[in-house]
């Protein structure tokens, strides 16, 4: 997975400092429509390998409080691993918090299947209220890899949208997209007015629009 950061500041959150380094990743061609056997650049792989274990454990274990940006890694809560909270059959959407109706889960699953068919990327959605979460158990359940976006919807820390993004996705999607997405649909004012389900659905549709855009200097420049 790529890197983590706390969600965009909300009235109840505290800013974190920007790390002192910024790794450079040179992208000469798009990886979006390449076979999954093709790997990111060497520089990207070296950097990602340093952070993958730490960032994945953070986002999949505790509060999954964290979204993705360059702001640094916030303090995680005690890890959680509750496979008993997983559904009996595979689903790209797991709602242990009860935010979504059956119809909404079905629509999101259909949109996610369309994203994967069109782009090869795997979007996975977990709706939870920490500590009621399967936590690390979703890693194996979803077979999380470099082409996976894990979207954790958890209102515990104010901003409901939290992301962990695979290295291959990171090559095509600007890092700023995730913080802008959290700022638009994840802030407390939005989800308290539209509901947690409204924030989740809006975010999934925005991710779908972004991933389906041609990869160029301006892709994903707007959160739709």
């Amino acid at each position: 997975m790529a890197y983590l950061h706390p969600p965009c500041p909300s009235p109840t959150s505290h800013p974190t400092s920007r790390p002192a380094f910024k790794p450079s990743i040179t992208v000469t061609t798009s990886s979006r429509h390449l076979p999954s056997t093709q790997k990111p650049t060497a520089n990207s792989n070296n950097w990602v390998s340093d952070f993958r274990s730490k960032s994945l454990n953070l986002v999949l274990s505790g509060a999954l409080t964290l979204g993705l940006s360059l702001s640094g890694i916030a303090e995680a809560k005690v890890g959680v691993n509750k496979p008993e909270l997983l559904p009996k059959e595979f689903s790209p959407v797991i709602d242990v918090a009860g935010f979504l109706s059956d119809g909404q889960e079905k629509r999101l699953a259909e949109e996610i299947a369309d994203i994967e068919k069109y782009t090869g990327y795997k979007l996975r959605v977990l709706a939870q209220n920490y500590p009621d979460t399967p936590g690390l158990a979703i890693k194996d359940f979803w077979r999380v890899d470099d082409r996976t976006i894990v979207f954790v919807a958890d209102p515990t820390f104010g901003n409901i949208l939290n992301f962990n993004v695979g290295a291959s996705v990171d090559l095509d999607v600007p890092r700023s997209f995730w913080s802008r997405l959290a700022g638009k649909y994840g802030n407390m004012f939005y989800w308290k007015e539209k509901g947690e389900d409204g924030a989740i659905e809006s975010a999934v549709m925005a991710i779908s629009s972004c991933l389906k855009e041609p990869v160029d200097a301006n892709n994903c420049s707007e959160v739709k």
Side-chain angles (χ1 to χ4, degrees):
M1 307 303 283
Y3 43 89
L4 288 173
H5 81 97
C8 293
S10 69
T12 60
S13 63
H14 302 282
T16 56
S17 59
R18 183 179 298 272
F21 64 94
K22 179 179 180 181
S24 59
I25 300 175
T26 302
V27 184
T28 56
T29 59
S30 165
S31 64
R32 176 170 300 172
H33 302 297
L34 296 178
S36 59
T37 54
Q38 296 194 14
K39 304 297 183 183
T41 63
N43 286 341
S44 172
N45 271 338
N46 290 338
W47 177 62
V48 168
S49 64
D50 291 338
F51 282 87
R52 179 175 298 154
S53 177
K54 187 172 185 179
S55 65
L56 186 59
N57 286 339
L58 284 171
V59 80
L60 300 186
S61 61
L64 317 184
T65 67
L66 315 176
L68 191 156
S69 95
L70 300 177
S71 307
I73 300 178
E75 181 180 359
K77 288 196 172 185
V78 177
V80 175
N81 186 16
K82 298 179 179 178
E84 65 272 15
L85 294 181
L86 293 170
K88 296 186 182 300
E89 298 182 359
F90 175 84
S91 173
V93 181
I94 301 174
D95 180 18
V96 295
F99 295 150
L100 304 166
S101 67
D102 291 343
Q104 287 173 315
E105 284 194 44
K106 182 179 179 180
R107 288 196 299 273
L108 290 178
E110 290 172 349
E111 184 64 32
I112 288 169
D114 188 59
I115 292 171
E116 190 166 350
K117 178 180 179 180
Y118 187 84
T119 70
Y121 289 138
K122 301 184 294 184
L123 176 62
R124 302 293 182 255
V125 179
L126 170 63
Q128 64 169 42
N129 269 310
Y130 178 84
D132 295 324
T133 170
L136 282 170
I138 66 173
K139 180 180 177 182
D140 292 333
F141 182 78
W142 279 335
R143 298 183 181 178
V144 174
D145 57 22
D146 285 348
R147 300 184 68 81
T148 306
I149 303 163
V150 177
F151 166 18
V152 179
D154 188 330
T156 305
F157 291 84
N159 195 304
I160 197 173
L161 305 187
N162 312 285
F163 305 97
N164 192 288
V165 177
S168 296
V169 185
D170 186 42
L171 294 178
D172 283 347
V173 179
R175 298 173 186 178
S176 60
F177 171 77
W178 306 104
S179 57
R180 287 185 280 111
L181 179 59
K184 182 172 183 178
Y185 294 129
N187 71 81
M188 186 180 296
F189 299 105
Y190 185 90
W191 64 260
K192 280 188 175 295
E193 178 182 353
K194 304 294 185 179
E196 294 91 347
D197 58 334
I200 293 169
E201 287 192 291
S202 295
V204 168
M205 297 311 297
I207 293 170
S208 179
S209 295
C210 165
L211 293 179
K212 292 176 182 178
E213 290 181 13
V215 178
D216 56 31
N218 298 314
N219 72 303
C220 302
S221 59
E222 296 183 10
V223 176
K224 300 177 180 178

